Amino acid sequence: MTNKVVEINHLQKIYGKANEKQYQALADISFDVHEGEFVGIMGPSGSGKTTLLNMISALDTPTNGTINIAGQNIVKLNENQLTDFRAEKIGFIFQDFNLLENLTMRQNIGLPLSLQGLSAKKIQTQVEKIADRLNIGHILDNYPTEVSGGQKQRVAAARALIHQPELLLGDEPTGALDSKNAKNLLEALRDLNEQDKTTILMVTHDPMSASYCKRILFIRDGEIFKEIEKQGSQQAFYEDILSILSHVDFSAESQV
Ligand SMILES: Nc1ncnc2c1ncn2[C@@H]1O[C@H](COP(=O)(O)OP(=O)(O)OP(=O)(O)O)[C@@H](O)[C@H]1O
């Protein structure tokens, strides 16, 4: 059995203080992600997907429950330990790329290592290695405004992976891409998962993007209500996903 990279038990998140208006975004979530898995999270708007990612990346704290990432109970960490945890253990790809416009792609990708104080030479070697892996070696000296959305997102993926995190998190990473660029990014993520055993957890509302995963968790009203695993072809998995979505009212916001 492979190691558990993510181990979540009875996670609950209530926004708002006891004397204020409260909102339960996560009711009771438990699941594991093993090393080398590529897991998708799907659910209607307001179902708690971003809240869940924010808990896993320790950007916010749960009301109840435990979160272990790479064997570390992150709910118990102090501020300094959390900073180290985020810098070392996880990589994050956002929908809107989050690249720094006044830095070149090379500088953007190398940023996590610069912040760790690595030498310029070591950073260059690592940048070129990951850029080669994601087919962006030819745009390293360009600025973000000079390249396509798809290239920007592959640069964001390179930046998220350069420090070799235990877990790559994506919050709608294909959300701002056209279908061709989305496919390019997803193929790159699939290669990283299959060849380098990168563990990926990705939120998406798009069934085609989700069909690149090996397992999907469906959440609604802050709870996992269904889970499916890829058994056969990607096309068959895509059709399974569509069938589940067609039985769920994804327009419904979760209720207080
Ligand atoms: N800081 C906050 N304070 C109060 N309520 C919040 C806060 N952040 C999120 N919520 C509420 O919690 C619920 C879950 O939000 P979340 O952003 O996790 O949903 P989501 O599934 O990611 O939605 P979407 O697909 O629209 O991004 C929503 O009803 C939202 O309004």
Side-chain angles (χ1 to χ4, degrees), residues 15 23 25 44-51 254:
Y15 287 113
Y23 189 90
S45 181
S47 60
K49 304 179 297 294
T50 299
T51 301
S254 58

Side-chain angles (χ1 to χ4, degrees), residues 10-214:
H10 302 296
L11 194 64
Q12 183 195 35
K13 177 65 179 178
I14 299 174
Y15 287 113
K17 299 199 182 90
N19 56 349
E20 296 170 355
K21 189 170 182 290
Q22 293 194 315
Y23 189 90
Q24 176 171 269
L26 298 178
D28 183 4
I29 298 252
S30 299
F31 69 94
D32 297 334
V33 177
H34 288 259
E35 196 176 346
E37 278 205 284
F38 186 174
V39 177
I41 296 173
M42 301 191 85
S45 181
S47 60
K49 304 179 297 294
T50 299
T51 301
L52 178 60
L53 283 195
N54 286 345
M55 304 283 131
I56 296 174
S57 51
L59 291 172
D60 201 354
T61 47
T63 307
N64 279 303
T66 59
I67 308 173
N68 276 279
I69 306 292
Q72 206 171 7
N73 179 356
I74 63 168
V75 180
K76 296 260 185 255
L77 301 182
N78 65 32
E79 266 317 308
N80 285 342
Q81 291 168 323
L82 281 176
T83 306
D84 289 346
F85 163 77
R86 285 191 288 263
E88 288 165 17
K89 304 279 183 188
I90 53 169
F92 214 118
I93 319 181
F94 303 89
Q95 175 169 337
D96 53 3
F97 322 126
N98 272 16
L99 298 176
L100 297 175
E101 300 283 319
N102 57 344
L103 298 186
T104 63
M105 298 309 199
R106 190 185 292 283
Q107 291 165 328
N108 265 290
I109 298 170
L111 205 55
L113 300 186
S114 305
L115 295 174
Q116 284 178 16
L118 258 71
S119 74
K121 191 159 175 259
K122 276 197 186 136
I123 295 174
Q124 281 325 310
T125 311
Q126 290 294 97
V127 168
E128 276 162 30
K129 199 167 140 202
I130 189 79
D132 197 37
R133 196 73 195 73
L134 284 154
N135 277 328
I136 44 174
H138 57 295
I139 53 159
L140 284 179
D141 294 314
N142 288 98
Y143 286 87
T145 48
E146 298 169 340
V147 304
S148 74
Q151 288 171 323
K152 274 193 240 187
Q153 197 58 306
R154 275 182 285 144
V155 167
R159 182 188 53 187
L161 290 166
I162 193 156
H163 58 298
Q164 299 180 308
E166 309 264 355
L167 176 66
L168 178 63
L169 294 170
D171 194 358
E172 299 276 9
T174 58
L177 303 179
D178 59 33
S179 59
K180 182 168 165 279
N181 278 313
K183 192 163 172 277
N184 279 341
L185 177 76
L186 290 160
E187 283 171 358
L189 293 181
R190 180 164 59 193
D191 287 352
L192 288 162
N193 172 253
E194 287 180 356
Q195 291 160 23
D196 303 356
K197 307 288 171 239
T198 305
T199 310
I200 306 174
L201 182 61
M202 169 177 94
V203 163
T204 182
H205 69 274
D206 172 37
M208 183 48 79
S209 298
S211 72
Y212 282 78
C213 300
K214 291 176 182 162

